[in-house]
Amino acid sequence: MKPKTSRQQQALETKSKLIDAALRTFSRKGFSESTTKDIAKEAGVTDGLIYHYFQSKEELLWAILDKYTLLHSIRQALAAMDKQAPLEHNLTAYFQALIRNLHEQQDLIVMCFGEAQRIPEIRARVEDIIREGVELLYAFVAPQVHLAPQELLVAIRNVQTSMVFYFLMTARFAEDGTQSTEYIRISVKQFLKIVT
Amino acid sequence: MKPKTSRQQQALETKSKLIDAALRTFSRKGFSESTTKDIAKEAGVTDGLIYHYFQSKEELLWAILDKYTLLHSIRQALAAMDKQAPLEHNLTAYFQALIRNLHEQQDLIVMCFGEAQRIPEIRARVEDIIREGVELLYAFVAPQVHLAPQELLVAIRNVQTSMVFYFLMTARFAEDGTQSTEYIRISVKQFLKIVT
Amino acid sequence: MKPKTSRQQQALETKSKLIDAALRTFSRKGFSESTTKDIAKEAGVTDGLIYHYFQSKEELLWAILDKYTLLHSIRQALAAMDKQAPLEHNLTAYFQALIRNLHEQQDLIVMCFGEAQRIPEIRARVEDIIREGVELLYAFVAPQVHLAPQELLVAIRNVQTSMVFYFLMTARFAEDGTQSTEYIRISVKQFLKIVT
Amino acid sequence: MKPKTSRQQQALETKSKLIDAALRTFSRKGFSESTTKDIAKEAGVTDGLIYHYFQSKEELLWAILDKYTLLHSIRQALAAMDKQAPLEHNLTAYFQALIRNLHEQQDLIVMCFGEAQRIPEIRARVEDIIREGVELLYAFVAPQVHLAPQELLVAIRNVQTSMVFYFLMTARFAEDGTQSTEYIRISVKQFLKIVT
DNA sequence: AATGAATGAGTATTCATTCAT
DNA sequence: TATGAATGAATACTCATTCAT
């Protein structure tokens, strides 16, 4: 860890600012409809500067994916769980963490789902996240239930994807979290019916 | 029913050809990345002709939504069901019809999900389809099970959206339908666990 | 004079209708901004028909110039004058006829002046009209006044061009003719001061 | 007065160059027939640059009107006059200045008259110029003559508009100024007959 | 004579990218 | 590091013109 001069420090901050501005812009308008001018304006810098830090507009996309991952706080949520507590309690906590995480990373989620059909690398990334999300929850739940692995994987995948869907289409436009709470309660209950 | 002269007939066919070409193009490259040149080429006509039939590229989008609906064959599948048959049998048939329908309308589905985050009208259309899909299945299933309405609605919504998700991310790239068959079998089984 | 069949007759009428529609359209929007679609619509026919009667959009312009001349009613006005009447009376009548004529041929005037700077043939036409107008009035006035020919020509040219200018910029937008009457009275008075 | 860096200075020059190029082009071909490519070529820059400085081709038109005014040198001519000198002398000097001014601003004049019938803002501008031109000369002449104000206004308006007309149709194509000198001499003489 | 579908070159405008300062 | 002027290829859309019916 070499200490950074303030010049280097500021450069890193500018680069970071650009990545965040690009994420917000891509999320709002989609990649193709976002112009580099839009992004520069959103970041509060001038047009040309993007090309000082990135080779192209597309590279900003990869930089976003490098900078952010969806699974960090999910891993945290799982790590923080008390395996002795009832499964229902833990699942509720987990799904709450998932929805909270989706809200926090809303721009990233929206952008990824918006571009997934068009940009193979984004689709691959979405698949990776889903797969890893399934594996993480599987590792936690499997020891506690009796269900054929394949069936448990389907159950986990289904509940998680429908929750993402629910977030994208409904929850992210809701003003309070009340609806989500109820949705989670029912989903957990039904998930438990399947796995136990 | 006025009889069409062959001239009028051919004009209608050209218009239809343009709508289909636009759908394929939008589905493959997304709306913004599809050029009107692309679409004209795909339809086998010259650039300018698009504007003989449509006011703008965007209007092609609305024309696609006017021409196609996702729910037609779903309604057919439900209507064809024997209510005396076991629910499991009927649900399996229904989900098979759904997956088949998604395959047939692949371009429309892919385009709608690709644009839903960016174009409000498309998102509204997706929401409508989901809502109506849920209602159709609810009307069929509700009389045969004992479950609070709200919970049944969540169960139905979740199983259908996860199936759409599954289609978008996995099934549509699979060469045979074997995987889907197994996926449907498990999903039906788990859905029955919830509702009975 | 061969008698026309009704078919031939109708063809002539259609052609005439197109010329008039073109004149109105050119006058309103200018030549370049008028589309053949505009003209066809104004004439109440379909796009292609123009090319049955004319080789090009430009030919419609020449057809307009062929069909209409500005000087006809001016010649009439001059012919109808009583040479025994006082010059003031005759000049007043003449300028009234001129303004009336400009009103009647408003579209032609407006179009010609709008295009004169850009289309040499139109400018030539405008020059011709001015020259002939000057000559007509000169032939009438010259015998009645004592003024060097060159000076009389300038006086006549000036009074007529400023009247056209006045029409283009002011009179054609006025709802009643009151202003014009007063304007003519003063102009005649001042013209008489020059020539007598 | 902030000092401009050479960079800012050059940008201003480029913008100015574009306005002038647009004026020449509009004057020669008319607004509608002038392409942005034409203008860029005339200015010696590439197509896209126009849109770095202006929102649209139309905005170039307004920029031209902002940059240039017709009346500056007319005001100068009037200010420079010796009120003690005979009116005839002063009027001759004034009209010479007017014709000279029209020559210098030929492109602007030609463009304005070419577009006045089609573009209301241009017509309004032309009207303003005429009105102000009339008022300027009126203020100078009125104290020296005995004529009802309304009649003096008509006289001034007529002589000035016919002079503009003369310029547009004749003088601007003449190679030497001989004709104009004679034309001015006669016009002044006749104007004096009216006002004295 | 009349229709309107079809063509294709052309136009204003946009935008990712470069580069001199 | 940062600016923003400059480039030029690409794009949606227009329109005069042709032509089969």
Side-chain angles (χ1 to χ4, degrees):
Chain A
M1 284 183 236
K2 3 173 178 169
K4 299 277 189 287
T5 68
S6 80
R7 190 88 183 264
Q8 287 174 308
Q9 190 58 39
Q10 190 175 336
L12 283 177
E13 274 164 27
T14 302
K15 190 168 183 177
S16 184
K17 219 163 47 178
L18 277 167
I19 293 174
D20 292 350
L23 174 52
R24 281 193 301 279
T25 311
F26 292 163
S27 162
R28 205 181 315 127
K29 316 174 80 172
F31 178 81
S32 315
E33 297 279 285
S34 299
T35 69
T36 51
K37 222 180 187 76
D38 288 335
I39 296 166
K41 201 175 185 182
E42 176 86 25
V45 300
T46 47
D47 303 23
L49 194 56
I50 288 175
Y51 292 86
H52 186 71
Y53 291 102
F54 304 94
Q55 305 264 12
S56 67
K57 181 177 147 185
E58 198 182 308
E59 212 184 60
L60 266 168
L61 196 58
W62 313 140
I64 291 169
L65 297 184
D66 272 357
K67 183 173 177 186
Y68 292 108
T69 171
L70 277 168
L71 295 162
H72 182 63
S73 54
I74 287 183
R75 283 194 206 96
Q76 282 189 314
L78 280 167
M81 282 180 189
D82 172 9
K83 294 199 179 170
Q84 308 308 319
L87 186 54
E88 178 174 3
H89 176 265
N90 277 332
L91 283 173
T92 304
Y94 174 79
F95 288 132
Q96 281 169 346
L98 176 59
I99 290 280
R100 206 179 320 119
N101 183 224
L102 292 170
H103 271 292
E104 281 160 7
Q105 308 251 45
Q106 182 164 162
D107 286 336
L108 186 59
I109 303 283
V110 168
M111 185 200 80
C112 284
F113 278 86
E115 304 299 339
Q117 304 305 323
R118 205 177 64 70
I119 304 175
E121 289 88 344
I122 299 269
R123 185 165 57 233
R125 166 64 69 111
V126 170
E127 276 168 10
D128 282 351
I129 291 167
I130 292 173
R131 188 178 321 113
E132 196 182 342
V134 168
E135 283 164 10
L136 286 169
L137 192 54
Y138 180 84
F140 182 81
V141 172
Q144 305 183 45
V145 300
H146 302 284
L147 199 65
Q150 200 193 352
E151 298 195 9
L152 182 54
L153 285 169
V154 168
I156 288 175
R157 188 186 163 100
N158 278 0
V159 75
Q160 287 196 125
T161 54
S162 50
M163 203 157 278
V164 170
F165 216 112
Y166 170 77
F167 169 76
L168 281 171
M169 299 309 259
T170 308
R172 74 185 181 102
F173 305 108
E175 298 192 352
D176 61 357
T178 323
Q179 283 191 350
S180 291
T181 308
E182 180 63 4
Y183 175 78
I184 290 171
R185 192 188 61 76
I186 296 175
S187 293
V188 167
K189 186 173 159 188
Q190 299 184 346
F191 180 75
L192 286 171
K193 273 199 197 169
I194 292 170
V195 299
T196 54
Chain B
M1 287 187 231
K2 7 176 178 169
K4 299 277 188 286
T5 68
S6 77
R7 194 93 185 294
Q8 288 173 307
Q9 191 58 42
Q10 191 172 339
L12 284 178
E13 275 163 26
T14 303
K15 189 171 183 174
S16 187
K17 217 162 53 176
L18 276 168
I19 294 175
D20 293 349
L23 175 51
R24 280 194 300 279
T25 312
F26 292 163
S27 162
R28 203 179 318 126
K29 314 174 84 172
F31 179 82
S32 315
E33 296 279 286
S34 301
T35 70
T36 51
K37 228 182 183 74
D38 288 337
I39 296 168
K41 201 172 184 182
E42 174 87 25
V45 299
T46 47
D47 306 19
L49 194 57
I50 289 175
Y51 295 87
H52 185 68
Y53 290 103
F54 304 94
Q55 305 260 16
S56 64
K57 181 176 143 187
E58 197 182 311
E59 214 184 57
L60 267 168
L61 194 58
W62 313 140
I64 290 169
L65 297 185
D66 272 356
K67 183 172 177 187
Y68 293 110
T69 172
L70 278 167
L71 295 161
H72 182 63
S73 54
I74 288 184
R75 284 195 206 95
Q76 281 188 314
L78 281 167
M81 283 179 188
D82 172 10
K83 293 197 179 173
Q84 309 307 322
L87 186 54
E88 179 176 0
H89 176 265
N90 278 332
L91 283 174
T92 304
Y94 174 79
F95 288 133
Q96 281 168 347
L98 176 60
I99 290 282
R100 206 180 319 121
N101 183 222
L102 292 171
H103 271 292
E104 280 160 9
Q105 309 250 47
Q106 181 163 164
D107 286 336
L108 186 58
I109 304 281
V110 169
M111 184 200 80
C112 284
F113 279 84
E115 304 299 337
Q117 304 306 322
R118 205 177 64 72
I119 305 175
E121 289 89 345
I122 299 270
R123 184 164 58 233
R125 165 63 71 108
V126 170
E127 277 168 9
D128 282 350
I129 290 168
I130 292 174
R131 188 178 321 114
E132 197 182 341
V134 168
E135 283 164 10
L136 286 169
L137 191 54
Y138 179 85
F140 182 81
V141 172
Q144 306 182 46
V145 300
H146 301 284
L147 198 67
Q150 203 194 349
E151 297 195 7
L152 181 53
L153 286 169
V154 168
I156 288 174
R157 190 188 161 98
N158 278 0
V159 74
Q160 287 196 124
T161 54
S162 49
M163 203 158 278
V164 170
F165 217 113
Y166 170 76
F167 169 77
L168 281 172
M169 298 309 260
T170 308
R172 75 185 181 101
F173 305 108
E175 300 193 351
D176 61 357
T178 323
Q179 282 191 349
S180 291
T181 308
E182 180 63 5
Y183 174 77
I184 290 171
R185 194 188 59 76
I186 296 176
S187 293
V188 167
K189 186 174 160 190
Q190 298 184 345
F191 181 75
L192 285 171
K193 274 196 196 170
I194 294 171
V195 298
T196 53
Chain C
M1 285 185 236
K2 2 173 179 170
K4 298 278 190 289
T5 66
S6 78
R7 189 85 182 266
Q8 287 175 309
Q9 190 58 40
Q10 191 177 334
L12 283 177
E13 276 164 26
T14 303
K15 190 168 183 176
S16 185
K17 218 163 50 178
L18 276 168
I19 294 175
D20 293 350
L23 175 52
R24 282 194 301 279
T25 311
F26 291 163
S27 162
R28 204 180 317 125
K29 315 174 82 172
F31 178 80
S32 314
E33 297 280 285
S34 299
T35 69
T36 52
K37 222 181 186 77
D38 287 336
I39 297 166
K41 202 175 184 181
E42 176 86 24
V45 301
T46 47
D47 304 22
L49 195 57
I50 289 175
Y51 292 86
H52 187 71
Y53 291 102
F54 304 94
Q55 303 265 12
S56 66
K57 181 178 147 186
E58 198 181 309
E59 213 184 58
L60 267 169
L61 195 58
W62 314 140
I64 291 169
L65 298 184
D66 273 356
K67 183 173 176 185
Y68 292 108
T69 170
L70 277 169
L71 296 161
H72 182 63
S73 55
I74 287 184
R75 285 196 204 93
Q76 282 187 314
L78 281 167
M81 283 178 187
D82 173 9
K83 293 200 176 169
Q84 309 306 320
L87 186 54
E88 179 175 3
H89 176 267
N90 278 333
L91 282 173
T92 305
Y94 173 79
F95 288 133
Q96 282 169 346
L98 177 59
I99 290 282
R100 206 181 319 119
N101 183 226
L102 292 170
H103 271 293
E104 280 160 7
Q105 308 250 46
Q106 182 165 160
D107 286 337
L108 186 58
I109 303 283
V110 169
M111 185 199 81
C112 283
F113 278 85
E115 304 299 339
Q117 304 306 322
R118 205 176 64 71
I119 305 176
E121 289 89 342
I122 300 269
R123 185 164 57 232
R125 165 65 68 109
V126 170
E127 278 169 9
D128 282 350
I129 291 167
I130 292 173
R131 188 178 322 114
E132 197 182 342
V134 169
E135 284 164 10
L136 286 169
L137 191 53
Y138 180 84
F140 182 82
V141 173
Q144 306 181 47
V145 300
H146 302 283
L147 197 67
Q150 202 193 351
E151 297 196 10
L152 182 54
L153 286 170
V154 168
I156 288 174
R157 188 186 162 100
N158 277 0
V159 75
Q160 288 196 125
T161 55
S162 50
M163 203 157 278
V164 170
F165 217 112
Y166 171 75
F167 170 77
L168 281 171
M169 299 310 261
T170 309
R172 75 186 181 100
F173 304 107
E175 300 196 348
D176 61 356
T178 323
Q179 282 192 351
S180 291
T181 308
E182 180 64 3
Y183 175 78
I184 290 170
R185 194 187 60 76
I186 297 176
S187 294
V188 168
K189 186 173 159 190
Q190 298 183 344
F191 180 75
L192 286 171
K193 274 197 194 168
I194 293 170
V195 299
T196 53
Chain D
M1 287 185 233
K2 6 175 178 169
K4 298 277 189 286
T5 69
S6 78
R7 194 96 184 291
Q8 286 174 310
Q9 190 58 41
Q10 191 171 337
L12 284 177
E13 276 163 26
T14 303
K15 188 170 184 177
S16 187
K17 218 163 52 177
L18 276 168
I19 294 175
D20 294 348
L23 176 51
R24 282 193 300 279
T25 312
F26 292 163
S27 163
R28 202 181 317 125
K29 316 174 83 171
F31 179 81
S32 314
E33 297 281 288
S34 301
T35 69
T36 51
K37 226 180 183 75
D38 288 337
I39 297 167
K41 200 173 184 182
E42 175 87 25
V45 300
T46 47
D47 307 19
L49 194 58
I50 290 175
Y51 294 87
H52 185 68
Y53 290 103
F54 305 94
Q55 305 262 15
S56 64
K57 180 177 146 187
E58 197 181 311
E59 214 185 57
L60 267 170
L61 195 58
W62 313 139
I64 291 169
L65 298 184
D66 272 356
K67 183 172 178 186
Y68 292 110
T69 171
L70 279 168
L71 296 161
H72 182 63
S73 54
I74 287 184
R75 283 195 206 94
Q76 281 189 314
L78 281 168
M81 282 179 187
D82 172 9
K83 294 199 180 170
Q84 309 306 323
L87 186 53
E88 179 175 2
H89 176 266
N90 278 333
L91 282 173
T92 304
Y94 173 80
F95 288 133
Q96 281 168 347
L98 177 59
I99 290 282
R100 207 182 317 121
N101 184 223
L102 291 171
H103 271 291
E104 279 160 8
Q105 309 250 46
Q106 182 164 162
D107 287 335
L108 186 59
I109 304 281
V110 169
M111 185 199 80
C112 284
F113 279 85
E115 304 299 338
Q117 304 306 322
R118 203 177 65 70
I119 304 175
E121 287 89 344
I122 299 269
R123 184 162 60 232
R125 165 64 71 110
V126 170
E127 278 168 9
D128 282 350
I129 290 167
I130 292 173
R131 188 179 322 114
E132 198 184 341
V134 169
E135 283 164 11
L136 286 169
L137 192 52
Y138 179 85
F140 182 82
V141 173
Q144 306 182 45
V145 301
H146 302 282
L147 198 66
Q150 203 194 349
E151 298 196 8
L152 182 53
L153 286 170
V154 168
I156 288 175
R157 189 187 161 100
N158 277 359
V159 75
Q160 287 195 126
T161 55
S162 50
M163 202 157 280
V164 170
F165 217 111
Y166 170 76
F167 169 77
L168 281 171
M169 298 311 256
T170 308
R172 75 184 180 102
F173 303 109
E175 299 193 351
D176 61 356
T178 323
Q179 282 191 351
S180 291
T181 308
E182 180 63 4
Y183 174 77
I184 290 171
R185 194 187 60 77
I186 298 175
S187 293
V188 168
K189 186 173 162 192
Q190 299 184 343
F191 180 75
L192 286 170
K193 275 197 197 169
I194 293 170
V195 299
T196 53

